[in-house]
Amino acid sequence: MPDTNNAIPPNLASLHAGEEFLRGKAIGLIAGDERLRLHLAITEAAMDLADVLRQFDTADEDLKVVQLLGMRTFNAFGASVKLALSGYSQNSALILRDVLETVFLIDYFVGDRTLIERWRFADKKARLKDFGPVKVREALDARDGFTDKKRFAMYEMFSELAGHPTMKSAFMMRPQRDGDAVIGPFMEATTLEAVVSEMGRLAIQVAEQLNLFLPADWPQGRPSRLAFATLKQRWITTFYPSRVR
């Protein structure tokens, strides 16, 4: 067997050790904050629904597309959690922007499932014209009667702070708001809370949309659906108590 002791360059090994140290610090912060634990619990529930949907055996090519998109969100959430707990909040948020774009697309398909086949067979030009991020957001806002452009504002926030190299993006490289940017990972409670909170909000949306594609009479899906419904009620009660009647 090859000698693995020196497989990773020493500086990368040292960096990993630092990431693991920060992960321990992050877990300590989460353990002391019920709200962060709830955001991560709902994220896990969304990932579980994506995994359950993946296991549904179907010959429907359109449903297979949604299964793949659900799998994409599973992988993205997993990577985002890993990065957030390792001290890479900006990179974690960058991946969450992908989740945002994906859940908007799934939501678009929920409203008109004939769009899935069009998306499947669209060439690049047609896909960008009919299913580009701006087109999807505008179509969703028109469908839902929204005029406040909150979907755009959310996408813009992720883009400015994480997705694009802008001056605003430097904020997520600073352990203190008025301090200097640092190279490498760091753990700071406010930054961790901001990223994990957005993760929880996105997880709610992802799970809600994927849930609509799970066959209601499929018994294997019921435990995950029930677990999500229970957590969702608790999440809404905690973060949006005015919506609870």
Side-chain angles (χ1 to χ4, degrees):
M1 293 181 63
D3 181 8
T4 60
N5 290 327
N6 298 315
I8 304 298
N11 284 337
L12 292 182
S14 177
L15 179 62
H16 176 69
E19 293 163 357
E20 290 298 289
F21 172 78
L22 292 177
R23 180 182 176 88
K25 185 176 179 180
I27 291 173
L29 291 170
I30 293 166
D33 191 325
E34 182 180 358
R35 295 162 72 90
L36 292 183
R37 295 199 304 272
L38 185 52
H39 282 308
L40 288 178
I42 204 71
T43 300
E44 180 192 41
M47 294 172 71
D48 186 52
L49 272 176
D51 185 40
V52 169
L53 179 60
R54 171 191 64 84
Q55 298 173 50
F56 181 72
D57 189 21
T58 180
D60 185 337
E61 295 299 324
D62 290 345
L63 182 56
K64 288 180 181 179
V65 166
V66 179
Q67 289 175 319
L68 284 170
L69 293 175
M71 292 160 65
R72 182 184 181 96
T73 65
F74 180 101
N75 294 342
F77 277 132
S80 187
V81 170
K82 178 75 171 179
L83 288 168
L85 300 190
S86 298
Y88 297 104
S89 293
Q90 185 174 60
N91 306 87
S92 176
L94 173 59
I95 293 176
L96 290 179
R97 189 184 71 163
D98 182 86
V99 176
L100 182 71
E101 189 172 326
T102 303
V103 76
F104 284 168
L105 183 62
I106 298 172
D107 190 5
Y108 195 29
F109 291 159
V110 167
D112 182 357
R113 299 196 181 191
T114 65
L115 293 171
I116 302 176
E117 184 176 9
R118 284 179 53 196
W119 184 82
R120 282 199 293 124
F121 290 106
D123 58 21
K124 182 177 180 180
K125 182 178 180 181
R127 179 171 52 81
L128 292 175
K129 175 179 178 291
D130 298 330
F131 299 98
V134 175
K135 171 66 177 179
V136 170
R137 290 197 306 269
E138 290 178 347
L140 289 175
D141 285 346
R143 182 197 71 187
D144 297 335
F146 294 164
T147 59
D148 51 14
K149 295 187 179 296
K150 287 185 178 179
R151 289 185 173 98
F152 167 76
M154 183 66 68
Y155 189 86
E156 182 78 356
M157 179 193 72
F158 280 116
S159 296
E160 286 289 299
L161 292 177
H164 300 310
T166 66
M167 287 306 298
K168 284 186 178 180
S169 68
F171 288 137
M172 296 198 72
M173 299 173 65
R174 297 172 180 168
Q176 285 79 40
R177 182 175 180 84
D178 297 325
D180 294 330
V182 300
I183 192 170
F186 65 87
M187 187 56 56
E188 194 275 323
T190 303
T191 306
L192 178 67
E193 179 182 1
V195 173
V196 173
S197 296
E198 294 302 331
M199 192 182 301
R201 292 187 185 95
L202 282 173
I204 286 283
Q205 296 178 57
V206 167
E208 286 178 335
Q209 301 307 322
L210 294 180
N211 197 31
L212 295 173
F213 285 95
L214 271 170
D217 58 350
W218 187 46
Q220 290 92 323
R222 288 173 188 163
S224 295
R225 299 178 81 169
L226 178 60
F228 168 67
T230 302
L231 271 173
K232 176 185 173 182
Q233 184 62 33
R234 182 178 154 208
W235 189 91
I236 292 173
T237 300
T238 300
F239 297 106
Y240 297 96
S242 61
R243 296 185 184 181
V244 180
R245 296 179 180 178

